[in-house]
Amino acid sequence: MTDVARVAGVSHQTVSRVLNGHPSVRPATRARVLAAIEELGYRPNLAARALVTGRSRTLGLVTLETTLFGPVTTLYGIERAAREAGYFVSVVSLGTAIDPGSLEDALARLRAQRVAGVILIAPLTSSLLALPSLPIDLPVVVVEGDPDGAFATATVDQRAGARAATEHLIGLGHRVIAHVAGPPEWLEAHQREAGWRAGLADAGLAGDVVLVGDWTARSGYQAGLALAEMTEVTAVFVANDHMALGVLRALHERGRAVPEEISVVGFDDIGEAEYFTPSLTTVHQDFDELGRRSLDLLLCQLDSSNSVVERLVIAPRLIERRSTAAREGP
Amino acid sequence: MTDVARVAGVSHQTVSRVLNGHPSVRPATRARVLAAIEELGYRPNLAARALVTGRSRTLGLVTLETTLFGPVTTLYGIERAAREAGYFVSVVSLGTAIDPGSLEDALARLRAQRVAGVILIAPLTSSLLALPSLPIDLPVVVVEGDPDGAFATATVDQRAGARAATEHLIGLGHRVIAHVAGPPEWLEAHQREAGWRAGLADAGLAGDVVLVGDWTARSGYQAGLALAEMTEVTAVFVANDHMALGVLRALHERGRAVPEEISVVGFDDIGEAEYFTPSLTTVHQDFDELGRRSLDLLLCQLDSSNSVVERLVIAPRLIERRSTAAREGP
DNA sequence: GCGACATCTGTTAACGCTAACATGCAACGG
DNA sequence: CCGTTGCATGTTAGCGTTAACAGATGTCGC
């Protein structure tokens, strides 16, 4: 920086002013400084800047170590938005579960880095236990978690999506609609089941048949084998597309035609859903927008330093494909 | 730090020595300092440390913005290994392509952060154009790219995997083995095709039938429709599992039985592969190990500051399932 | 018992940047 | 024509840490 100042014939402070877009620099001076920066290939030292300002323009992103469609897509959405806003993203992945200890470790790491704020992708019920240990002195946005907590949140309205799926099936004349739920440690699993129940309750139908999976196709397959035996069931709402794939496979193996005998609806709209056999009716979530909006929430907290807890909800939408049809028979 | 020093009744430099494990600190003094640190909840300021040492204990991770199985799994593997080694990971995602401009931007960002080194997940042929613009003053490890370049690399042996898949089909008696390739902009697509060709050439067979997809199930479906018409083809090696799913769907629709009429092999061993209809024979890659090993390579460069370009290759392995069978008929 | 040496601890000066204040100079009004 | 104002720029200090050197204390040999 001193070198740049010397080349431009100004003081280092003027260079700093140019770098930070300070208004009171004469255009001619600014141009000379910029030329010197260019000539010397100067890049400001962010560590020094962070030291003196106390801000790092880095934000922490804590996520589960999962390749599941949702969290990964959200991660990229956040990274892109952060980059466009001039922030760096420091990622810390937790293991396969969120416990207070590992979450605290992750936050300690990020706090040591003096991150401006933290975005937490916390889709597990265990996050409800872990969240109280979150520091209140650091701006935090929780994505896909914390339904009642004290933090700003951004979520997709899982309940509404599940309800839409269920109502779609009811509209097709189905009366016995089973559910293949996600693992109970995932909040989304609960919310989707709740949406399914709400949809059924509105139509005066019973929510008796619930099978529990673990998001994998394998578990869906096992649920599908059980469903194939339940002749009264004419429709299934499956809590994610991967499990729906397993359900389709099992029903196919057992000679139960989809959608003629049983309708199947998934959740997520992964890229492959359109190419399942048959192509899958499912609920689409815009994870990319979720990422962008949750960054906005964090930046809003940083800018205004207001402590208003904002809750941002994004609406999912039903995608109708070939795995659902009107109920046949009486 | 000054506060800690005061509480412990020592100078701030002694605190620094305790923090950095300097040997010449009396155990009693060390204990007092540690107690003071604990009491005050002191956390060292990494920005200040980075400023004075010139090292940030952060490493940059540049990756494509993709939810594809491989890159994401590699990312987590690297993050976990970095965390265990006491490093932070700053992620920069490129768009959907690697061009010299965006790569240079990403590196400029990371260099501004004074990262210790960069790991680049660069599985595109365009990375061959972009890589020469990489800085040589920064330790770099390239994952899944740069077959002939000047950088340390960690890769899965795609050719060997493809060859194993092809030889498996040849061993089952197949003589006309088609290939559904990945998009030409991906290095892995070329390597897998090369492995297929090499396997065929060794057996004196022709590699005539190549269809090109884009990794998606949709493109696999279209390739599958074309394959269904080619009655001479009795086996297909598909360059990834998602496309293989599309192929299976198309063959099923057109009434071509798998594996009775046509055998299908995929690549990647995604979690769902076992639950395709029929379950998919495929080539398993250990992306997690890939991540760990590539971090090791980077740390090795940092420690020894040797400029020996290491190339680390991980062997994939064939997983036999139900989508392949011995050729029927004459 | 006194200098030489090892061991532990303290002092000072950076690292590169920004904030706060100080200065110089032009424009302006009375 | 001079004090006041406002703009552009320079000067100084300090962010929290480590490196380099300086000092204090104890230990040992002769």
Side-chain angles (χ1 to χ4, degrees), chain A residues 166-192:
Chain A
T166 309
E167 283 168 357
H168 169 64
L169 293 170
I170 292 169
L172 288 170
H174 295 282
R175 291 293 169 261
V176 182
I177 301 170
H179 179 50
V180 179
E185 57 269 28
W186 285 70
L187 285 168
E188 292 165 0
H190 290 272
Q191 292 160 355
R192 289 173 199 176

Side-chain angles (χ1 to χ4, degrees), chain A residues 43-48 50-51 58 63-67 69 71-73 75-77 79-80 82-84 86-95 108-114 215 217-219 221-222 242 245-246 248-249 252 271-272 274-279 288 322, chain B residues 43-48 50-51 58 63-67 69 71-73 75-77 79-80 82-84 86-95 108-114 215 217-219 221-222 242 245-246 248-249 252 271-272 274-279 288 322:
Chain A
R43 296 267 146 203
N45 183 321
L46 297 183
L51 177 59
T58 293
T63 181
L64 279 184
E65 196 171 298
T66 170
T67 57
F69 184 72
V72 174
T73 314
L75 186 152
Y76 287 125
E79 194 282 331
R80 178 145 25 102
R83 182 151 32 91
E84 282 162 11
Y87 279 81
F88 295 93
V89 175
S90 185
V91 172
V92 178
S93 66
L94 304 171
R109 280 173 60 81
L110 293 172
R111 197 194 304 236
Q113 278 198 308
R114 300 293 193 276
W215 297 138
R218 174 192 296 264
S219 68
Y221 175 77
Q222 273 147 6
H242 289 102
L245 175 62
L248 291 177
R249 166 105 193 275
H252 174 79
E272 294 78 24
E274 194 173 349
Y275 292 90
F276 288 178
T277 311
S279 66
D288 201 61
R322 309 297 304 277
Chain B
R43 296 267 148 204
N45 183 321
L46 297 184
L51 176 60
T58 293
T63 182
L64 280 183
E65 196 170 300
T66 169
T67 57
F69 184 73
V72 173
T73 314
L75 186 152
Y76 287 124
E79 194 280 331
R80 177 146 24 103
R83 182 151 33 89
E84 282 162 10
Y87 279 81
F88 295 93
V89 175
S90 184
V91 171
V92 178
S93 67
L94 304 171
R109 278 172 62 81
L110 293 173
R111 196 193 303 236
Q113 277 197 308
R114 299 295 191 275
W215 297 137
R218 174 192 296 265
S219 69
Y221 176 77
Q222 272 146 8
H242 292 261
L245 175 64
L248 291 178
R249 164 106 194 275
H252 173 80
E272 294 79 25
E274 194 173 349
Y275 292 90
F276 288 179
T277 313
S279 67
D288 201 60
R322 310 296 304 277

Side-chain angles (χ1 to χ4, degrees), chain A residues 233-293:
Chain A
V233 172
T234 66
V236 192
F237 166 52
V238 188
N240 83 333
D241 289 353
H242 289 102
M243 291 196 298
L245 175 62
V247 168
L248 291 177
R249 166 105 193 275
L251 293 176
H252 174 79
E253 270 188 13
R254 295 299 157 103
R256 302 265 282 154
V258 176
E260 293 79 8
E261 287 179 69
I262 304 190
S263 288
V264 177
V265 181
F267 208 111
D268 273 354
D269 194 25
I270 64 175
E272 294 78 24
E274 194 173 349
Y275 292 90
F276 288 178
T277 311
S279 66
L280 187 70
T281 296
T282 188
V283 179
H284 179 85
Q285 307 187 69
D286 193 340
F287 288 110
D288 201 61
E289 187 184 357
L290 181 63
R292 264 182 285 116
R293 302 286 285 276

Side-chain angles (χ1 to χ4, degrees), chain B residues 184-268:
Chain B
E185 57 270 24
W186 285 69
L187 286 167
E188 292 165 0
H190 289 273
Q191 292 159 356
R192 290 172 197 177
E193 184 175 337
W196 166 73
R197 280 191 195 288
L200 291 181
D202 279 2
L205 299 175
D208 297 328
V209 188
V210 179
L211 298 161
V212 177
D214 63 4
W215 297 137
T216 67
R218 174 192 296 265
S219 69
Y221 176 77
Q222 272 146 8
L225 291 181
L227 287 168
E229 305 303 317
M230 304 177 188
T231 48
E232 75 281 10
V233 172
T234 66
V236 193
F237 166 52
V238 188
N240 82 334
D241 289 352
H242 292 261
M243 291 196 298
L245 175 64
V247 168
L248 291 178
R249 164 106 194 275
L251 293 176
H252 173 80
E253 269 188 14
R254 294 299 155 103
R256 304 264 281 156
V258 176
E260 293 79 7
E261 287 179 69
I262 304 190
S263 287
V264 177
V265 181
F267 207 112
D268 273 353

Side-chain angles (χ1 to χ4, degrees), chain B residues 16 23 28 47 61 69 86 133 144 147 183 191 221 245 248 254 266 272 285-286 292 300 308 318 323 326:
Chain B
S16 170
L61 179 53
F69 184 73
S133 78
E144 293 297 346
Q191 292 159 356
Y221 176 77
L245 175 64
L248 291 178
R254 294 299 155 103
E272 294 79 25
Q285 306 187 70
D286 192 341
R292 264 183 285 116
C300 170
V308 179
L318 186 74
S323 65

Side-chain angles (χ1 to χ4, degrees), chain B residues 49-65:
Chain B
R49 185 178 289 177
L51 176 60
V52 71
T53 61
R55 302 165 216 283
S56 63
R57 285 196 84 78
T58 293
L59 53 87
L61 179 53
V62 180
T63 182
L64 280 183
E65 196 170 300

